[in-house]
Amino acid sequence: MNKEFKTSVSPCAVTDEELQLINKLTVKELSAEEVYTFNVILCDNEVDRDCERFDIAALEKMAVLFVGVTGIFDHNPGSGNQTARIFTAKCEKIPGKITSLGDEYICVKAKAYMPRTNKNADLIAEIDAGIKKEVSVSCSANSFTCSVCGNDIRHGNCGHIKGETYNGKLCHCVLSDITDAYEWSFVAIPAQVNAGVTKGYESKFRKTQDLIKAIKNGECVKFTRQQSREICDYISSLEKDAEDGRLFRKSLTEEVVKFALISVPSLDGESIEKMCAQTETRELMKLRDAFRTKAGEVIPLSPQLKAKKETKTVNNNEYKF
Ligand SMILES: [Zn+2]
């Protein structure tokens, strides 16, 4: 049984403990400098394209069985020699993430290593660049349960059909009792889409937002001229917004620094600026407001006093510098 899974690999640093795990699998002892490690999500409890879903016990079993299993990179020339190996795997909940069935999302997150050799250099660079890949896992399951009636769904045994809805519930096959994990492999999403596939996409995604969603999902999308223009217009409007945002943050930061220095003169302007750079815009606005209020207490502004003498109305604008 092969299962394809959309994922993204991400590089990770290796700890001493992990290095020990890796060295349990190697012939020659490797140092931290000699290994490259990365995260890979192998599968999850979401209903997949085949209307099948692993149950939690299956995921837990796979987290055990996939340790030590070799991964293949089928897109690289001479990939026969390029392999990575999983040295640790565990089931992980993603806080707040819910599956389409309303369950807590759980995935099998594994860490894999490969030696830092010249042969692997391109592949390592590719993973460092965060290129999305689809992972295919091969495993065997013994249990194929119908989500509607709980009977074995194979061979049309129970009469329910995967993908159909019964009483508002999607019928799918629950895979469990995993007996073996054979291999996992990366299938790079091809940069060029062949014409046959593209045709389907053209009618499928008409609106810009749908196109963007498809891109975000890592799908291969070929644009028509019209779609290209729409995407370009959209990017231009985003660029303008981004520029506005940058200008706003710049002046916001200047305000925070100014009010902070008035409020607490012992502060260092450069440090405040650095802190601002790491703060979300919304929080930065709150910070600006707080320091502005404080600064107003430390140095009451002369226009404010003048205004009070001349007129009884208090204009809040005069608190602003
Ligand atoms: Zn059934």
Side-chain angles (χ1 to χ4, degrees):
M1 187 176 65
N2 282 311
K3 281 278 159 210
E4 293 205 336
F5 184 73
K6 271 183 194 157
T7 188
S8 61
V9 280
S10 56
C12 58
V14 64
T15 64
D16 288 345
E17 214 181 346
E18 287 170 351
L19 196 60
Q20 281 179 17
L21 292 175
I22 292 169
N23 278 322
K24 277 185 191 169
L25 303 169
T26 58
V27 180
K28 171 190 161 250
E29 188 149 319
L30 296 170
S31 70
E33 290 73 33
E34 289 172 310
V35 292
Y36 177 80
T37 54
F38 58 95
N39 295 307
V40 56
I41 294 169
L42 295 173
C43 48
D44 60 15
N45 62 336
E46 187 59 89
V47 179
D48 66 17
R49 283 175 280 199
D50 306 323
C51 275
E52 294 179 339
R53 161 181 78 83
F54 291 112
D55 70 1
I56 306 300
L59 295 179
E60 279 167 355
K61 190 71 184 285
M62 279 196 283
V64 174
L65 292 177
F66 266 105
V67 173
V69 174
T70 300
I72 304 159
F73 300 83
D74 70 356
H75 66 294
N76 268 67
S79 64
N81 300 317
Q82 293 176 324
T83 52
R85 215 166 184 202
I86 289 170
F87 64 92
T88 180
K90 62 172 191 230
C91 287
E92 202 173 286
K93 286 177 191 169
I94 309 290
K97 191 167 176 179
I98 303 290
T99 67
S100 59
L101 297 174
D103 297 324
E104 230 177 353
Y105 177 86
I106 296 170
C107 60
V108 178
K109 192 174 169 188
K111 285 188 176 191
Y113 77 92
M114 53 184 162
R116 282 186 186 273
T117 57
N118 287 338
K119 219 181 275 171
N120 287 335
D122 284 352
L123 200 54
I124 289 171
E126 218 174 295
I127 294 173
D128 279 339
I131 293 168
K132 270 198 171 185
K133 294 169 197 294
E134 218 152 294
V135 170
S136 164
V137 297
S138 299
C139 60
S140 66
N142 255 351
S143 168
F144 303 78
T145 310
C146 170
S147 65
V148 177
C149 66
N151 292 311
D152 192 322
I153 198 170
R154 284 174 297 177
H155 320 300
N157 273 346
C158 69
H160 293 117
I161 298 158
K162 286 192 294 183
E164 297 282 311
T165 305
Y166 300 90
N167 291 326
K169 283 186 178 174
L170 174 77
C171 175
H172 60 274
C173 171
V174 182
L175 302 167
S176 197
D177 193 9
I178 304 296
T179 52
D180 217 336
Y182 306 111
E183 64 163 40
W184 56 284
S185 65
F186 280 115
V187 190
I189 294 165
Q192 299 291 319
V193 184
N194 66 53
V197 178
T198 314
K199 265 191 181 167
Y201 278 109
E202 279 181 11
S203 56
K204 198 171 160 192
F205 305 110
R206 282 191 210 102
K207 291 180 200 156
T208 309
Q209 288 306 321
D210 281 347
L211 283 170
I212 290 161
K213 207 191 272 176
I215 295 165
K216 281 182 180 167
N217 284 338
E219 292 180 37
C220 305
V221 185
K222 192 179 175 186
F223 300 155
T224 61
R225 271 176 212 279
Q226 177 60 26
Q227 286 170 334
S228 297
R229 269 193 293 271
E230 284 169 6
I231 290 276
C232 285
D233 288 346
Y234 182 63
I235 290 170
S236 297
S237 78
L238 288 182
E239 282 172 339
K240 196 190 159 293
D241 287 350
E243 180 57 19
D244 289 347
R246 273 190 289 272
L247 287 172
F248 177 68
R249 272 194 73 97
K250 189 168 173 272
S251 79
L252 194 56
T253 301
E254 284 167 1
E255 281 188 300
V256 172
V257 173
K258 183 171 72 183
F259 293 132
L261 290 178
I262 294 170
S263 310
V264 190
S266 60
L267 283 174
D268 167 21
E270 217 170 288
S271 308
I272 304 167
E273 235 175 272
K274 272 186 196 159
M275 189 193 72
C276 288
Q278 288 164 13
T279 308
E280 295 277 340
T281 305
R282 239 171 244 284
E283 301 304 315
L284 213 51
M285 286 164 76
K286 284 184 198 161
L287 210 59
R288 186 262 325 262
D289 294 344
F291 275 128
R292 184 164 57 197
T293 307
K294 184 76 187 160
E297 287 166 19
V298 176
I299 307 176
L301 300 171
S302 53
Q304 180 195 338
L305 298 173
K306 269 184 197 162
K308 270 190 175 173
K309 278 178 194 167
E310 285 160 19
T311 162
K312 281 183 181 174
T313 57
V314 177
N315 184 347
N316 279 335
N317 283 335
E318 284 153 354
Y319 283 94
K320 292 178 185 161
F321 280 66

